[in-house]
Amino acid sequence: MNGESLEQTIDYTTGGEKQSSALPHNCKGGFFADQFENLANFRAHYEYTGPEIWDQTGGSLDAFVAATGTGGTVAGVSRFLQVTRGVMYTREEAEGQRLKNLFDTITEGMGINRLTQNFMMAKLDGAFRGTDLEAVEMSRFLLKNDGLFLGSSLAMNCVRAVRVAQSIGPGHTIVTILCDSGMRHLRKFCNAEYLSQHGLTPKATGLEFLGIR
């Protein structure tokens, strides 16, 4: 193909297909994935992550909870589970519209300040608000009790999963995503001195910070 790489894109609205050049002819080895706007992100989770979750839960799934970064994971999984399988999300504390300072939190790897092409594909029923302290406390709880060394956004995913469990009660299957470790969060989120400076030193011995004794 003379060095030209083609990316196949699928229009899920019309069912049509189109071809587009992914790399300019004079490209010397660079590639911009554009993970926020490139719908290959959404498609990967629609075609693989969603079906994997459905298969591994045996179709017995009551809620899926995930933070949003690029929007690809939550969009792809939500589209597959809701549109294809009819699984509905828990409606809880709809967040509405609010302005957010990009630097008012130490929780990294989540949150968007615009509607990305990937996020616009999502089919959601609700949202939870979480705090930095909840994420810190949950990360320490999971490390101590489950041996899971997680970063801030994944700890927040677990906080939200517990919130959903509290809202719908026992006997349900709730899925979230733990797709990274805490290794990229050593400077802030896993730094005791940094957390102390921001009043975020963890003190819980269990899950009492979520009202669980």
Side-chain angles (χ1 to χ4, degrees), residues 10-17 39 42 46 79 117 120-121:
I10 301 175
D11 183 345
Y12 280 91
T13 302
T14 64
E17 296 187 1
L39 289 180
F42 157 78
Y46 181 87
R79 278 278 180 151
Q117 291 297 314
M120 285 191 287
M121 300 297 290

Side-chain angles (χ1 to χ4, degrees), residues 48-107:
Y48 296 101
T49 312
E52 180 181 355
I53 290 172
W54 184 260
D55 290 342
Q56 291 194 9
T57 59
S60 177
L61 175 64
D62 298 287
F64 173 74
V65 184
T68 296
T70 64
T73 302
V74 72
V77 173
S78 66
R79 278 278 180 151
F80 177 83
L81 294 179
Q82 283 203 30
V83 177
T84 304
R85 303 297 186 178
V87 177
M88 299 304 294
Y89 285 41
T90 301
R91 295 185 179 275
E92 184 72 17
E93 297 180 8
E95 203 169 22
Q97 296 182 354
R98 62 191 177 97
L99 296 176
K100 178 174 174 56
N101 186 321
L102 291 176
F103 306 102
D104 67 357
T105 177
I106 68 164
T107 304

Side-chain angles (χ1 to χ4, degrees), residues 102-184:
L102 291 176
F103 306 102
D104 67 357
T105 177
I106 68 164
T107 304
E108 300 176 276
M110 58 181 284
I112 55 176
N113 64 342
R114 70 182 191 278
L115 288 176
T116 67
Q117 291 297 314
N118 281 286
F119 186 73
M120 285 191 287
M121 300 297 290
K123 299 283 288 185
L124 307 177
D125 281 335
F128 284 92
R129 287 179 179 161
T131 67
D132 284 335
L133 185 58
E134 288 175 336
V136 171
E137 294 282 15
M138 179 60 80
S139 71
R140 276 39 174 195
F141 175 86
L142 293 171
L143 181 61
K144 178 181 177 180
N145 292 276
D146 298 286
L148 295 174
F149 179 44
L150 303 179
S152 54
S153 60
L154 305 188
M156 187 61 77
N157 278 355
C158 293
V159 170
R160 291 187 177 95
V162 172
R163 292 293 192 199
V164 172
Q166 290 173 314
S167 69
I168 65 178
H172 296 87
T173 300
I174 300 165
V175 174
T176 190
I177 298 288
L178 303 181
C179 53
D180 198 0
S181 75
M183 290 302 296
R184 294 192 294 179

Side-chain angles (χ1 to χ4, degrees), residues 31-54:
F31 178 76
F32 178 40
D34 195 16
Q35 67 267 31
F36 286 85
E37 308 299 336
N38 186 345
L39 289 180
N41 184 350
F42 157 78
R43 291 198 306 273
H45 295 288
Y46 181 87
E47 296 173 3
Y48 296 101
T49 312
E52 180 181 355
I53 290 172
W54 184 260

